[in-house]
Amino acid sequence: MNHYLLIYHLAPGYLERRAEFRAAHLDLAWQAAERGELLLGGAVEDPLDTAMLLFAGEGPEAAEAFAEVDPYVTEGLVERWNVRRWVTVVGKEASAPVRP
């Protein structure tokens, strides 16, 4: 199982517009979590300009599919997004454990 970071670059005015779409976004996120695709998600603060969602899977498809239908993306709260494979090496859930 590989890890993929879905990285959102938030648009100006994100915080002011978020409330309108938050319930739909969270519903989508919790559905992905219940399927075992989404492990963690949240915003990066100070400044609040980025959000990251950690997905698990054989490929990036689940993360990409999520972004394509996420109301934060479709309604313009996210300026741009990208998916990056994250090679995790330490921790119980690491995708490629490396020990000394």
Side-chain angles (χ1 to χ4, degrees):
M1 188 76 53
N2 297 311
H3 289 130
Y4 294 88
L5 283 173
L6 171 56
I7 304 165
Y8 281 172
H9 303 274
L10 305 175
Y14 160 81
L15 200 53
E16 293 78 17
R17 296 187 59 216
R18 178 179 69 174
E20 183 179 355
F21 305 103
R22 194 166 196 201
H25 165 78
L26 290 173
D27 184 51
L28 188 68
W30 280 106
Q31 288 177 37
E34 289 166 3
R35 289 191 303 271
E37 298 167 350
L38 177 59
L39 304 180
L40 294 168
V44 179
E45 292 186 327
D46 297 323
L48 180 60
D49 61 356
T50 307
M52 295 186 187
L53 297 94
L54 175 59
F55 283 81
E58 294 305 315
E61 294 82 11
E64 292 167 347
F66 180 91
E68 289 169 0
V69 298
D70 184 359
Y72 283 5
V73 173
T74 62
E75 298 298 329
L77 280 72
V78 172
E79 216 167 43
R80 69 190 195 303
W81 59 270
N82 60 305
V83 176
R84 302 276 311 268
R85 182 170 176 206
W86 184 22
V87 181
T88 52
V89 297
V90 175
K92 192 169 97 174
E93 302 298 323
S95 64
V98 176
R99 294 190 176 266

